[in-house]
Amino acid sequence: MKTQFQCELLTDVVLNMRTATTGNQKTLDFIPGSCFLGIVASSFKQFTDTEKDFLFSGKVKFGDAHITNTSSEKMSYRSLHVPASLMYPKLLSIFDCCYIHHFYKRENDKEGEGGLPKQLKQSRSGYYIFHEGVAVEVPIHKGYALKSAYDRDKLRAADEQMYGYESLDKGSVFLFEVETDNNSELDLIEKSLIGLKRIGRSRTAQYGLVKISKTNFFQPESHADGFMINNHHYITVYADGRLIFFDENGGLTSCPKAEDLGVKGKICWEKSQIRTFQYAPYNFKRQTRDADLFGIEKGSVFVIETQDKAPIGQEYVGSYNNVGFGKVIYNPDFLDTSLQAVNGEALYKFKRDTGVEERINQITKAAPSNSPLLNYLVMKRAESEAKAFIYQKANEFVSLNKTFFQGADFASQWGNIRSIAMRCRDNNQLYEELFDKHITSYHYATPTDPYEGEREINIAYLSHGIAEEKWKKRNRRGILRTFIDECVKQEEVINHAITIEAVINLASEMAKKCKKR
């Protein structure tokens, strides 16, 4: 039986990702099930022997807590780590286009430059709520604080003992579930979990206070039926939690067998996408760390060739299931593709959190404020819109006009345009250097031109010499000028300078395309 809980952060929470005591310390983006087992274990002395045997024998599984979207007043949804088998083209994002690795065939991809395959990038970070064909990103807000050790003898900060904490921001809400084999002990678990508790590091200081309560939420479920590729039957196994496996010799392994995943068959490694992790669990009772554990990271996807159906009802595989390790989902629908999809395009459409977008839009449209925070948010919003516009316009220019610029000559000319843009202080200077830079020069009469006297000459890079002849043909100069004009207009919309940066990015990309010809 499963019982679902909500964990609200009342203060910042520190959950170090690594065991190192020096360097840049980052926090986990989820709350491990071991934290909730530790909360229950803190009441160890109050349990009877029977209760102790039940709680710590592995019959109770404390799942990992994932963040949820608090901006929605509807039913809660537990987010999942982005699957590692989702790919998207470089210079774009997962919100623009997304492919599933085991359905995608590179040889069938002719949509890249020059009819070549697109360059795809693996999705590695982020949590999403998957529901009814839409995957909504749930942002995880983190903070950072710089601390110093205290010298009790000198009553001041200790010398050379500075350290920093990255933490999950207070106000975030995480969802998790506890699964038990014995329903009679649920009351004991709920009594130990519910209420104000502390987790993570520096619990005696300002960190770690949380409020745990019962709730109900939705999350993607397993499906028995798999899918067919080239008349072969496959099923997918998505790692909702981190997975730890031991081989026949008792050693940790990152290459499990299909049987270790609860399926009879053979793992198709070329279609799978696996990421690994390593960490050392901390034993609070003994005040020391145990041996390092090595396993498979959340979001990994196994593709198994088999004739059987997925074992619905079995949600945990591997070892250490009592602290959240080993939770899997069989054949989730977000790893499927539709019949009309082009070359394995994902069935789900990825979107940003609408609540966050609305709040940012309200701040951006608000009247100017003296608040440094609001001014900073407005600036970051403008920067984000500027980058998105630059990448979009550069991609459109390359896609529509790549056939107009071929050969090594154009590669060097685009390189010169990039150098000119990098030297320009503003848009006026950019226009002048590329199109309209005039000087007055004295002209002596010649047999072909009898005029003698001063004359204005346009010495802009694209308006004289060898470059002028090539850029006049097929309206190449006009195409580039239209691109720059559109960037200048967009500057007025978002109130952020983008034109020079856009030209630099475009010139760099076009120089690469020309060299490939």
Side-chain angles (χ1 to χ4, degrees):
M1 182 176 179
K2 301 176 184 177
T3 306
Q4 297 178 331
F5 296 91
Q6 168 183 298
C7 179
E8 180 182 1
L9 309 189
L10 301 183
T11 63
D12 294 351
V13 173
V14 178
L15 299 166
N16 280 358
M17 185 181 298
R18 300 186 298 118
T19 59
T21 56
T22 59
N24 186 19
Q25 289 288 349
K26 294 186 176 295
T27 187
L28 293 172
D29 47 17
F30 66 96
I31 303 177
S34 56
C35 291
F36 306 115
L37 175 60
I39 291 174
V40 176
S42 63
S43 304
F44 185 82
K45 294 181 181 180
Q46 303 175 13
F47 300 151
T48 65
D49 292 340
T50 303
E51 293 171 342
K52 293 175 183 177
D53 293 339
F54 170 72
L55 290 172
F56 304 107
S57 63
K59 296 180 180 180
V60 183
K61 301 179 179 66
F62 296 85
D64 293 338
H66 291 182
I67 196 166
T68 186
N69 189 347
T70 57
S71 63
S72 174
E73 297 179 357
K74 300 179 181 179
M75 184 68 179
S76 298
Y77 296 88
R78 178 176 176 269
S79 63
L80 298 179
H81 190 283
V82 63
S85 59
L86 297 183
M87 307 285 182
Y88 58 90
K90 287 187 176 180
L91 300 181
L92 297 179
S93 69
I94 194 173
F95 307 106
D96 300 315
C97 182
C98 182
Y99 296 89
I100 300 176
H101 172 71
H102 50 267
F103 289 114
Y104 173 82
K105 293 183 179 180
R106 184 172 174 81
E107 60 272 17
N108 294 341
D109 188 353
K110 307 297 183 182
E111 299 179 7
E113 299 299 331
L116 298 175
K118 295 187 291 292
Q119 289 184 296
L120 299 186
K121 185 177 180 180
Q122 184 185 51
S123 301
R124 296 188 175 183
S125 61
Y127 282 77
Y128 295 83
I129 291 176
F130 296 90
H131 183 65
E132 296 182 349
V134 178
V136 180
E137 182 187 27
V138 184
I140 299 177
H141 301 289
K142 299 179 181 180
Y144 185 82
L146 190 63
K147 303 290 184 179
S148 172
Y150 185 69
D151 191 329
R152 297 181 181 274
D153 296 331
K154 298 180 180 179
L155 302 179
R156 62 177 179 83
D159 294 331
E160 300 180 356
Q161 294 191 40
M162 300 288 291
Y163 58 94
Y165 276 151
E166 186 182 63
S167 59
L168 299 172
D169 282 355
K170 67 177 181 179
S172 302
V173 177
F174 291 76
L175 303 176
F176 69 99
E177 61 184 13
V178 177
E179 183 176 339
T180 64
D181 297 334
N182 188 344
N183 297 340
S184 61
E185 303 295 342
L186 281 177
D187 292 339
L188 173 65
I189 297 173
E190 293 178 9
K191 182 179 178 180
S192 301
L193 276 178
I194 294 176
L196 298 180
K197 307 295 178 180
R198 287 193 176 272
I199 60 176
R201 297 198 60 175
S202 292
R203 286 174 287 183
T204 57
Q206 72 203 64
Y207 295 102
L209 182 62
V210 300
K211 180 182 179 181
I212 300 177
S213 58
K214 290 186 65 175
T215 189
N216 292 302
F217 58 83
F218 290 127
Q219 58 183 339
E221 298 179 347
S222 296
H223 298 85
D225 296 327
F227 55 91
M228 301 292 293
I229 299 179
N230 296 332
N231 297 324
H232 293 273
H233 184 266
Y234 298 90
I235 66 172
T236 53
V237 182
Y238 167 79
D240 184 0
R242 295 179 292 181
L243 312 181
I244 293 181
F245 298 99
F246 291 90
D247 58 22
E248 58 273 12
N249 298 318
L252 291 165
T253 178
S254 60
C255 298
K257 300 178 181 179
E259 289 75 11
D260 296 327
L261 296 168
V263 181
K264 292 182 180 179
K266 181 181 179 181
I267 297 177
C268 186
W269 292 105
E270 62 270 18
K271 296 183 181 297
S272 304
Q273 288 291 311
I274 310 300
R275 304 190 68 217
T276 60
F277 75 96
Q278 181 177 358
Y279 96 113
Y282 184 79
N283 189 298
F284 184 78
K285 182 67 175 179
R286 293 188 286 107
Q287 295 290 300
T288 187
R289 294 192 177 275
D290 294 333
D292 282 10
L293 294 178
F294 176 81
I296 296 167
E297 188 59 274
K298 283 177 182 287
S300 297
V301 177
F302 293 90
V303 178
I304 303 176
E305 184 177 358
T306 179
Q307 297 299 325
D308 298 334
K309 293 186 176 182
I312 302 300
Q314 176 182 338
E315 296 188 348
Y316 283 86
V317 298
S319 302
Y320 299 101
N321 297 161
N322 61 324
V323 289
F325 290 97
K327 187 176 182 181
V328 296
I329 302 177
Y330 295 99
N331 296 319
D333 55 0
F334 54 79
L335 290 179
D336 201 356
T337 184
S338 65
L339 296 177
Q340 295 79 22
V342 179
N343 200 17
E345 190 171 353
L347 178 65
Y348 273 66
K349 301 301 180 183
F350 287 77
K351 297 182 178 180
R352 291 184 173 87
D353 177 39
T354 54
V356 173
E357 288 291 321
E358 290 176 0
R359 291 194 294 272
I360 293 177
N361 286 332
Q362 291 174 359
I363 292 173
T364 305
K365 296 177 181 179
S369 169
N370 293 326
S371 169
L373 175 59
L374 291 180
N375 293 335
Y376 173 77
L377 292 176
V378 170
M379 179 190 69
K380 297 302 290 184
R381 172 67 172 181
E383 290 179 357
S384 177
E385 290 185 351
K387 289 183 178 180
F389 179 82
I390 289 172
Y391 291 148
Q392 177 187 352
K393 296 302 295 183
N395 287 332
E396 289 179 359
F397 187 97
V398 173
S399 177
L400 296 174
N401 305 303
K402 58 187 177 182
T403 57
F404 293 171
F405 304 91
Q406 299 180 6
D409 291 342
F410 277 110
S412 62
Q413 289 175 11
W414 280 111
N416 291 334
I417 292 174
R418 180 178 182 273
S419 299
I420 291 172
M422 293 179 68
R423 295 196 302 267
C424 292
R425 298 183 302 273
D426 52 36
N427 297 341
N428 292 332
Q429 186 180 5
L430 180 66
Y431 275 114
E432 181 181 347
E433 293 292 336
L434 291 179
F435 307 108
D436 303 306
K437 186 176 183 179
H438 292 81
I439 62 171
T440 301
S441 176
Y442 190 86
H443 182 269
Y444 293 95
T446 64
T448 57
D449 188 355
Y451 174 79
E452 183 170 345
E454 292 185 346
R455 174 183 289 174
E456 280 195 353
I457 302 176
N458 191 345
I459 63 169
Y461 179 67
L462 300 179
S463 299
H464 82 289
I466 298 177
E468 179 187 15
E469 298 178 3
K470 292 189 175 183
W471 282 81
K472 273 186 176 181
K473 293 180 180 179
R474 306 182 71 177
N475 195 31
R476 293 186 178 101
R477 187 168 56 189
I479 293 172
L480 177 59
R481 186 151 193 160
T482 300
F483 173 86
I484 297 176
D485 291 341
E486 291 176 352
C487 292
V488 173
K489 291 180 181 179
Q490 185 67 14
E491 285 188 2
E492 300 176 357
V493 175
I494 64 176
N495 193 27
H496 187 84
I498 62 173
T499 304
I500 292 178
E501 183 179 355
V503 173
I504 292 173
N505 278 270
L506 175 65
S508 300
E509 191 65 21
M510 288 299 296
K512 297 176 185 177
K513 301 302 179 184
C514 294
K515 288 181 179 179
K516 292 181 180 180
R517 298 292 178 180

